[in-house]
Amino acid sequence: MLQAQNLSIIFGSRTLFDNVSFTIQPRDRIGLVGRNGVGKSTLLKTINGEISPQEGNITKPGGYTIGFLKQEIRGQNEPTVWLEAQTAFREINVLQEELDQIQHQLETRTDYDSEAYMNLSQLFCDLNDRLIHLDVDDKDKKTELVLLGLGYKREDFEKAPATFSGGWAMRLELAKLLLQNPDLLMLDEPTNHLDIESIIWLEEFFQKYEGAIILVSHDKTFLDNVCNKTIELELGKMYEYKANYSKYLILKEERREKQLQTFKNQQDQIKQIERNIERFKAKASKASMAQSLVKKLDRMDIVEVEQDDVRTMRFQFPMGQQSGKVVVTAKNLAKSYGDKNVFHNVNLEIERGDKVAFIGKNGMGKTTMAKIIAKEIDYNTGELTIGHNVNIAFFAQHHAEQLPKELTILQYMEDTAPNEIRAQVRNILGAFMFSGDDATKKISVLSGGERARVCLAHLLLHPSNVLILDEPTNHLDLRAKDVLKDAISKYPGTVIVVSHDRDFLVGMTNKVFEFNDGIVQEFVGDVNDFFEERRLSNFREVELSPQTSANNTQKKEEVKTVAPPQDKQLKNKIAKLEEAIAIKEFDIKKLEEKIELLSEAGKYEENIVLQLGEEKKALEKLMLEWEGLQQ
């Protein structure tokens, strides 16, 4: 059990935490939530002993081990993925080496009856028992299980870590931590570099994990599936809820409503006491009573209503000179790395004003295609034509990790700003919540979310007519995602977004390109239209489905061929009803999410609640009709 008591951390004039206390029990699954920059990563570093609090302390039992996955990638020096993963068994490796040395001594020495020999023999037994306790015989099996679960293939085990992207390097760091099996596992945004299959595997792994876990994540589904406790950081305070993320939002709103009611009742009571004091102090016979009431007011603990952090980004992407009608054209485009074929025979066309989504599993070529269009890398064969007067601004997935850490935010922005825009840098940073002293913070101390905001702010320095955004929502909190989505929707130029975040994409795109096993397929319409065509409800189904849309079409044709004529009309009705039910369920989900976001902001809109009720009634009616047809 780890205990933190009365922690306070102050950076300059800013109090990050003020007198916070908490306890981490074995098998706790804690979601650590709060706005970007409130101190989530700092709290994890404090627990890990990297930062010392100005006040308070952290206590833990002797031998208590902590594993910490940071947002920065550490050095990976082993020649293969397998050997790098097995560095997690450092204690086993050291013990094994020591045991081999003792065994050699026992075999070569002849003083069998001496005390030194007996002590050496006992040490050998003790070390051997420790190795057995650490499951030395299962380390290869565990390594294989974890690497496969996180998406590596067996043929990847003998490849050098340096041949993989930064996202895969982060997976390797995660694999090492899981294999270390610490008492407390702290993970800062672990899902940012994982595809859906790996996220589901990780959820299942955590359900069986014996130690405690703290997660920093903006993936609501992941938090709901893993966590049994939520700790919120807001404006220097800490609030603890014994609930997953969705339940925490409800409990937070209930707590705030009770607090407001208690505050209102107390204010009414104070006003009544003050009126009585005014009445009594004018009469000599009531003077002592008035004095008593004054003392009562002085002793009263005034209820304070917790403040909400309502700060948010506010910006629009600057539009450059208009491009030609056709922005990007690809004909029979192919890209491979050595023997690995990423995609082939790709034909696509993106026109001025298009809002395009690239979706699909990790490793299918989404980022590669984005980099080819942005002229960051070359393709192998085929043709790629960038249209007339196209000016591209590229948000790279790992740009935030490559920022110059030795500079302050202001220095970095001023050094890279064109002369005509340099005077506006302060205003741009203010729009991204870096005003005053925050603008002079060093990049090295920024959280992942703050670094992502710096990268977005940097895009505003150079007006463009094409935006390419590779996983732009990584590290951003929910409000920041909404602001970014609004800015993209209002941008008059062309946008290409690589993302796994369906909620972010919905309502924003008019074309979808799905990357799957070397093939790129175009779907015209919003991401919802893509899901309706594929008859899938979310990205988990897209990325886990073993069937392609062609297979689905073939199966439909087979059903049509086999189905008796009298059943055809009935089956068509059922199919249309199922489609209507799926759409209605999606509409209800979006309304519920809208109500959830409003409650986070302390707002309530009766018309949305009434609309939700009507939609649920309509769904119930559709379900009754469907059941009747099924019978």
Side-chain angles (χ1 to χ4, degrees):
M1 181 173 72
L2 181 145
Q3 285 186 309
Q5 296 177 319
N6 307 319
L7 295 183
S8 293
I9 294 182
I10 302 168
F11 287 140
S13 59
R14 183 185 174 199
T15 300
L16 205 56
F17 311 130
D18 182 19
N19 197 35
V20 302
S21 299
F22 57 90
T23 300
I24 301 174
Q25 301 282 359
R27 290 196 61 80
D28 266 354
R29 304 289 188 264
I30 299 170
L32 185 60
V33 302
R35 300 288 302 279
N36 291 142
V38 298
K40 300 186 295 293
S41 297
T42 300
L43 181 59
L44 296 184
K45 290 176 181 177
T46 304
I47 294 171
N48 201 40
E50 300 173 39
I51 295 176
S52 299
Q54 277 79 7
E55 296 178 8
N57 59 80
I58 294 175
T59 59
K60 53 185 183 289
Y64 191 87
T65 54
I66 298 175
F68 185 14
L69 180 73
K70 300 181 182 180
Q71 294 173 359
E72 308 90 24
I73 299 171
R74 303 167 189 170
Q76 296 174 346
N77 304 314
E78 294 297 327
T80 67
V81 167
W82 179 267
L83 292 175
E84 183 66 37
Q86 291 224 322
T87 61
F89 302 108
R90 188 165 282 110
E91 182 182 0
I92 289 177
N93 296 337
V94 170
L95 287 173
Q96 189 71 64
E97 186 176 341
E98 190 175 353
L99 201 66
D100 291 342
Q101 291 174 357
I102 294 172
Q103 185 174 1
H104 177 72
Q105 291 185 53
L106 291 173
E107 289 172 351
T108 56
R109 290 177 63 158
T110 58
D111 55 333
Y112 307 119
D113 296 329
S114 68
E115 184 178 349
Y117 191 92
M118 296 299 292
N119 290 338
L120 204 60
S121 180
Q122 183 60 48
L123 180 58
F124 180 89
C125 293
D126 292 343
L127 292 178
N128 194 55
D129 288 344
R130 177 62 180 162
L131 279 173
I132 292 171
H133 175 73
L134 292 172
D135 292 332
V136 61
D137 294 333
D138 289 338
K139 71 174 187 175
D140 288 349
K141 181 180 176 182
K142 288 178 179 177
T143 302
E144 183 179 29
L145 175 71
V146 170
L147 288 176
L148 291 174
L150 290 177
Y152 285 96
K153 298 175 182 177
R154 283 188 173 84
E155 54 265 33
D156 296 331
F157 293 175
E158 298 306 315
K159 295 178 182 176
T163 61
F164 292 87
S165 67
W168 286 97
M170 191 63 80
R171 291 188 193 211
L172 192 49
E173 286 299 305
L174 177 56
K176 284 153 57 175
L177 284 180
L178 298 181
L179 290 169
Q180 286 170 15
N181 195 34
D183 297 307
L184 172 61
L185 194 56
M186 303 194 301
L187 306 174
D188 198 352
E189 301 285 5
T191 63
N192 278 353
H193 303 286
L194 300 181
D195 55 32
I196 298 302
E197 286 177 324
S198 299
I199 291 173
I200 292 174
W201 178 88
L202 193 60
E203 290 173 357
E204 293 172 351
F205 184 92
F206 285 159
Q207 288 170 7
K208 301 171 186 175
Y209 192 73
E210 293 297 325
I213 299 171
I214 301 180
L215 296 172
V216 175
S217 178
H218 299 296
D219 185 330
K220 293 189 291 184
T221 303
F222 184 65
L223 288 171
D224 279 345
N225 290 342
V226 172
C227 297
N228 56 18
K229 186 186 290 187
T230 301
I231 291 179
E232 178 193 35
L233 295 176
E234 187 171 30
L235 297 173
K237 302 294 184 183
M238 176 180 283
Y239 307 98
E240 189 173 321
Y241 300 83
K242 292 182 179 179
N244 65 16
Y245 183 80
S246 293
K247 187 71 184 297
Y248 136 76
L249 292 175
I250 297 169
L251 293 175
K252 177 184 177 181
E253 186 60 27
E254 289 175 354
R255 188 195 81 228
R256 185 164 176 79
E257 287 176 1
K258 288 177 183 176
Q259 196 177 60
L260 285 168
Q261 189 58 49
T262 303
F263 174 78
K264 182 178 179 299
N265 292 340
Q266 188 184 62
Q267 290 300 307
D268 291 341
Q269 184 185 3
I270 289 171
K271 287 176 184 177
Q272 183 60 47
I273 292 172
E274 288 173 341
R275 283 195 294 268
N276 289 335
I277 291 171
E278 288 298 317
R279 281 171 46 219
F280 294 158
K281 71 180 182 180
K283 299 177 183 178
S285 60
K286 302 284 188 179
S288 61
M289 189 175 292
Q291 191 61 34
S292 176
L293 290 174
V294 169
K295 290 179 180 178
K296 183 178 179 180
L297 271 184
D298 291 339
R299 290 194 303 268
M300 189 177 289
D301 291 328
I302 302 300
V303 173
E304 293 183 1
V305 178
E306 296 161 7
Q307 290 180 296
D308 274 337
D309 189 350
V310 295
R311 297 176 303 146
T312 190
M313 298 189 297
R314 56 190 191 284
F315 73 95
Q316 290 186 356
F317 290 109
M319 179 65 181
Q321 187 178 355
Q322 185 171 281
S323 70
K325 182 180 179 183
V326 178
V327 173
V328 180
T329 304
K331 294 181 180 178
N332 300 320
L333 203 68
K335 177 63 179 177
S336 60
Y337 293 102
D339 296 333
K340 183 183 178 182
N341 176 40
V342 182
F343 49 71
H344 58 274
N345 295 331
V346 175
N347 295 284
L348 62 80
E349 183 174 279
I350 299 173
E351 296 185 345
R352 181 179 64 230
D354 277 347
K355 301 290 191 295
V356 176
F358 286 176
I359 67 172
K361 293 170 67 174
N362 282 355
M364 292 295 125
K366 305 184 300 297
T367 295
T368 299
M369 179 64 79
K371 287 182 176 180
I372 288 172
I373 295 172
K375 296 186 176 180
E376 295 274 322
I377 59 174
D378 292 327
Y379 53 93
N380 296 111
T381 59
E383 296 179 25
L384 179 75
T385 305
I386 304 298
H388 173 67
N389 202 34
V390 168
N391 184 7
I392 295 173
F394 183 39
F395 179 97
Q397 186 176 158
H398 304 298
H399 187 189
E401 298 163 10
Q402 297 163 356
L403 293 173
K405 296 180 181 179
E406 70 281 1
L407 299 182
T408 67
I409 302 170
L410 184 60
Q411 287 171 336
Y412 169 66
M413 291 288 286
E414 287 181 336
D415 288 352
T416 53
N419 289 332
E420 63 273 17
I421 296 180
R422 193 162 293 165
Q424 303 173 34
V425 164
R426 279 274 187 182
N427 291 335
I428 291 172
L429 288 177
F432 286 84
M433 298 163 61
F434 295 117
S435 55
D437 291 342
D438 285 340
T440 58
K441 288 200 295 189
K442 280 205 168 186
I443 289 171
S444 60
V445 304
L446 299 182
S447 69
E450 288 174 315
R451 292 187 190 191
R453 296 208 312 266
V454 172
C455 292
L456 287 172
H458 191 262
L459 290 180
L460 271 62
L461 298 178
H462 304 277
S464 63
N465 49 38
V466 178
L467 288 175
I468 301 179
L469 308 174
D470 187 8
E471 298 289 0
T473 60
N474 279 0
H475 304 297
L476 292 183
D477 59 42
L478 293 174
R479 291 186 195 174
K481 286 182 185 181
D482 287 341
V483 173
L484 175 59
K485 182 173 180 176
D486 183 62
I488 292 172
S489 299
K490 291 177 179 176
Y491 179 66
T494 307
V495 181
I496 300 171
V497 182
V498 179
S499 180
H500 288 288
D501 191 333
R502 173 178 177 171
D503 290 336
F504 178 70
L505 293 175
V506 166
M508 188 172 70
T509 59
N510 67 324
K511 277 185 185 177
V512 175
F513 289 95
E514 183 192 13
F515 289 67
N516 188 18
D517 289 332
I519 298 171
V520 180
Q521 188 172 2
E522 178 181 351
F523 297 83
V524 177
D526 179 44
V527 70
N528 277 343
D529 299 322
F530 163 71
F531 286 122
E532 284 178 25
E533 184 164 343
R534 290 289 302 271
R535 301 196 69 183
L536 298 166
S537 63
N538 56 45
F539 268 124
R540 291 192 173 216
E541 290 175 272
V542 170
E543 297 191 4
L544 293 176
S545 174
Q547 300 167 335
T548 64
S549 55
N551 288 340
N552 291 337
T553 303
Q554 184 180 353
K555 286 195 172 186
K556 286 179 190 175
E557 288 172 356
E558 288 172 359
V559 169
K560 286 180 182 178
T561 305
V562 174
Q566 62 268 29
D567 290 345
K568 189 173 181 180
Q569 189 176 2
L570 182 60
K571 288 191 175 184
N572 284 340
K573 284 183 179 180
I574 291 173
K576 286 181 180 178
L577 268 176
E578 287 173 345
E579 199 167 315
I581 287 168
I583 293 170
K584 192 63 66 178
E585 286 175 337
F586 178 76
D587 291 341
I588 289 171
K589 179 174 178 283
K590 297 309 295 179
L591 285 170
E592 287 174 341
E593 288 176 351
K594 189 176 288 187
I595 291 169
E596 181 180 283
L597 288 172
L598 287 169
S599 69
E600 281 187 69
K603 297 178 182 178
Y604 175 82
E605 292 190 15
E606 187 177 1
N607 62 322
I608 297 178
V609 175
L610 291 173
Q611 186 182 351
L612 177 61
E614 292 300 319
E615 293 287 350
K616 286 184 175 180
K617 287 179 183 177
L619 175 61
E620 188 176 350
K621 185 177 178 182
L622 289 170
M623 289 298 296
L624 286 172
E625 188 177 350
W626 178 84
E627 287 173 6
L629 289 177
Q630 286 285 2
Q631 289 172 2

